[in-house]
Every structure is written in C-alpha cells, then in structure tokens.
Amino acid sequence: DGGITQSPKYLFRKEGQNVTLSCEQNLNHDAMYWYRQDPGQGLRLIYYSQIVNDFQKGDIAEGYSVSREKKESFPLTVTSAQKNPTAFYLCASSLQLLAELSYEQYFGPGTRLTVT
Amino acid sequence: EDQVTQSPEALRLQEGESSSLNCSYTVSGLRGLFWYRQDPGKGPEFLFTLYSAGEEKEKERLKATLTKKESFLHITAPKPEDSATYLCAGGATNKLIFGTGTLLAVQP
C-alpha cells in the first residue's frame, strides 16, 4: 500500500535536547511538507521541499531544520531554539508543487511531541 | 492577508439530520480548495479538491461545492461514523492555508 509513515507516534524529550522526527513516503511524490498543529489553530507550515536537495522555509521555520537527501524521506529536527516545541507534527506529500495550481496533499499519521 | 475561516466551530447533529459546513476564504489567486476529514489523534484524510466556482464533488453522504468566496460541505443523512473534524484549506503560492476546522458530532 502506498502512503506516508511517520515515526515515532509519541515522543518525549527534555527541554534543551534536539529531536528528529521521521517521515517517509512511497507515493513517488516530488513535494513534501511539515506542519504543526496546535489546539484551536489551523495547520501551520514549517518547511516544504519541491525536489531532492532543495527545501524552503514555511511560515514558522524558526527553531526547526530539515533535509531532503532522498525523494522518499524528509526528516524534521526540532532544535532547542524552538521555544514551544510541544505539538502534533504532521508530514505531507503531494504530486508536485506548482506556482499556478495546488495539488492535494496526503498526510501521515502524525507524531505527538512533548517537551518538558 | 490570505485567510480561511470555517464555521461553525462545532456542530452537533442527530443521525439523519442533514446540514452544511461553511468555509469562507480570502486567498489571492486561489489555486484550489481542499476538504479534509481528521479523526482525533490522526492525520487529515483527503476528501475533495475543487478548482472552479460552480464545481461540485460528491462522496457517499458528502458533497462539496465552491463559489468565488466560499465553499460548503453538505452532509446528507449523517451517521455517527461521520463524526470528525472537517478541515478546509485554500491553495496559495507554494502552500495550503488551513482553517481551524469544524468539529462535527453525530448522535445516534
């Protein structure tokens, strides 16, 4: 079955530690995204990538970093510089990322990160 | 500023009681309007894409429509398994802009 996997489902970290969230897709999609979801707020875009070895900051990139070394993988690192890291993190992918047209994005199951 | 607003925030229906969810958008050069369903603790599940005013799409008890300013998700004769949060998103340059969702509860 094609889809997006995220691991782990739950993650607990102490404040001051960096943590990396995994995202893998086997949909052969070019574009991948990271969002965070907080209660009462819409999904907010952290980073996105149109192709391998290229990625762009989204609306709330501060305190986060990403890499795109393979088409299938787009890991997100939450650094100690992120002031409020506790949230539900969602990875998504889409066929392409075009300027004139948006394609539907397919989401993974999410990772709930708790930092204390 | 691009924005997507959903109403109501929460909706409680009796099984079989049809209703509509609203999504108003102000997205410059809208590049598509998307509807998702999200169950608690899970990722959003894609439902529909609408690209042009007047376009309609249906899936089981759900029908999505689009005008130049808003989109509606019509739910006909809902069942308890339709209970979820429904998210609307507008396609902007290089991203989707999400609303905060409508939490739908369908009681048997």
Side-chain angles (χ1 to χ4, degrees), chain A residues 7-64:
Chain A
S7 60
K9 187 174 176 65
Y10 299 97
L11 193 52
F12 298 88
R13 280 294 182 270
K14 294 290 186 184
E15 196 172 313
Q17 293 179 334
N18 292 353
V19 59
T20 297
L21 282 59
S22 168
C23 176
E24 303 278 332
Q25 55 100 358
N26 61 3
L27 299 168
N28 199 32
H29 285 171
D30 286 325
M32 296 187 74
Y33 313 81
W34 274 105
Y35 293 87
R36 71 175 275 167
Q37 188 173 35
D38 297 282
Q41 298 194 44
L43 276 69
R44 293 183 290 167
L45 183 64
I46 303 172
Y47 268 97
Y48 63 95
S49 168
Q50 294 179 270
I51 56 172
V52 174
N53 293 323
D54 182 66
F55 47 83
Q56 305 295 330
K57 293 182 179 180
D59 299 318
I60 55 166
E62 185 175 351
Y64 299 98

Side-chain angles (χ1 to χ4, degrees), chain B residues 44-57:
Chain B
E45 174 190 347
F46 170 70
L47 293 174
F48 303 109
T49 305
L50 302 165
Y51 285 113
S52 303
E55 189 175 358
E56 298 183 353
K57 289 195 176 170

